[in-house]
Amino acid sequence: VDGDTSTNDMVLLLSSGLAGNRKLTVRSGSKAFKEALEVACVELAKQIAMDGEGSSKYVEVEVKGAKTVKEAKCAAKAVASSILVKCAIYGCDLNWGRILAALGYSGARFDPYKISIAVEGGGDTVEVVKNGKPLVKPGDKGASAVMRNRAVKLIIDLNVGNCSAKAFGCDMTERYVELNALYTT
């Protein structure tokens, strides 16, 4: 929800070898196991994001066109973790300036005059920025309508390479603040 790591939001996979099962090899299915494990872990990560304390929306951030996979991951995580972006999503106002700010501190290399941003939700897509030029004005009804959906996807194309990554998160609500303000240890 907020970028803090919690021991309650984690999955452990342990293998001691004590069961005596045969060792997986490429021939015996290790590749299929790795692929299935990745699918399971991605689904668990999405479920953790969907179950964010007090959240009202699930958010997926896809960054495309990065120079490296590492930069794509950093950019996606920065946007998905940004408190200001989360608040804008909660308010159904796609403030693309907040997205650019998060990208700016992410460490990913990009040219703001080449960036494109779109928002998806409920089967609809609205392009917000194309090649650095805004396509919608603040408070745009089309973008706001898309953002009213329970699941929202931000698609960001940095247009400087061919690497991509995704990050999962949720919006920031008054309920989140209330839950954490009243929590005592």
Side-chain angles (χ1 to χ4, degrees):
V1 175
D2 50 25
D4 286 337
T5 303
S6 170
T7 55
N8 298 328
D9 297 332
M10 73 176 192
V11 175
L12 295 174
L13 177 68
L14 305 171
S15 175
S16 67
L18 294 176
N21 296 325
R22 64 181 164 84
K23 183 177 178 181
L24 284 177
T25 64
V26 172
R27 194 172 184 189
S28 69
S30 67
K31 183 178 178 188
F33 174 77
K34 287 178 186 176
E35 289 171 357
L37 180 61
E38 182 172 346
V39 168
C41 288
V42 167
E43 286 306 309
L44 286 169
K46 288 179 180 181
Q47 288 175 31
I48 289 170
M50 286 180 208
D51 193 35
E53 295 173 330
S55 70
S56 69
K57 294 181 179 83
Y58 163 75
V59 180
E60 185 172 309
V61 178
E62 179 180 5
V63 172
K64 306 188 286 189
K67 288 243 185 219
T68 66
V69 172
K70 181 180 179 182
E71 288 183 28
K73 286 180 181 179
C74 288
K77 188 173 180 179
V79 173
S81 298
S82 166
I83 299 298
L84 291 177
V85 171
K86 290 171 172 294
C87 289
I89 290 170
Y90 174 63
C92 299
D93 178 26
L94 187 59
N95 185 326
W96 57 269
R98 291 179 175 181
I99 294 171
L100 281 177
L103 291 170
Y105 64 67
S106 74
R109 293 170 285 177
F110 69 96
D111 179 344
Y113 296 104
K114 292 183 178 179
I115 197 165
S116 294
I117 301 171
V119 60
E120 280 183 6
D124 294 319
T125 302
V126 175
E127 283 188 289
V128 179
V129 176
K130 179 122 177 137
N131 297 320
K133 293 185 176 36
L135 300 177
V136 298
K137 294 180 180 178
D140 178 81
K141 301 288 185 217
S144 292
V146 169
M147 295 184 68
R148 283 190 189 91
N149 287 284
R150 172 72 174 108
V152 175
K153 182 175 183 181
L154 301 177
I155 304 161
I156 302 163
D157 194 339
L158 301 180
N159 286 311
V160 294
N162 55 16
C163 296
S164 62
K166 291 181 182 178
F168 314 113
C170 58
D171 61 351
M172 182 69 67
T173 67
E174 294 96 338
R175 182 76 178 126
Y176 170 84
V177 175
E178 181 182 316
L179 285 168
N180 285 280
L182 299 177
Y183 178 84
T184 57
T185 55

